[in-house]
């Protein structure tokens, strides 16, 4: 999306799609995933991005849906 983390519909012809979520309580800050590889979507897990930025090999987990 050109409007990360908000949807711009640029994903229409890909396997990616928007993720609808609802917060149960008010928060002051949250981190939404921008790399689409978080194991805690739609929130950033930080671990995945750190692996990629360090040049470490990222192995997707089979039991995780990456959005």
């Amino acid at each position: 999306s050109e409007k990360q983390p908000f949807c711009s519909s640029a994903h229409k012809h890909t396997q990616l799609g928007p993720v609808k979520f609802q917060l149960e309580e008010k928060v002051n800050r949250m981190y939404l995933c921008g790399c689409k590889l978080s194991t805690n979507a739609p929130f950033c897990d930080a671990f995945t991005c750190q692996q990629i930025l360090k040049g470490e090999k990222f192995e997707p987990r089979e039991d995780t849906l990456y959005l």
Side-chain angles (χ1 to χ4, degrees), residues 21-30 32 42-43:
F21 68 98
Q22 182 174 325
L23 297 177
E24 300 298 323
E25 58 189 60
K26 182 180 176 183
V27 296
N28 291 324
R29 182 180 295 181
M30 75 175 99
L32 298 176
F43 305 103

Side-chain angles (χ1 to χ4, degrees), residues 11-18 65-67:
H11 59 79
K12 280 194 183 254
H13 302 289
T14 70
Q15 294 178 335
L16 300 175
L65 175 63
Y66 296 95
L67 303 170

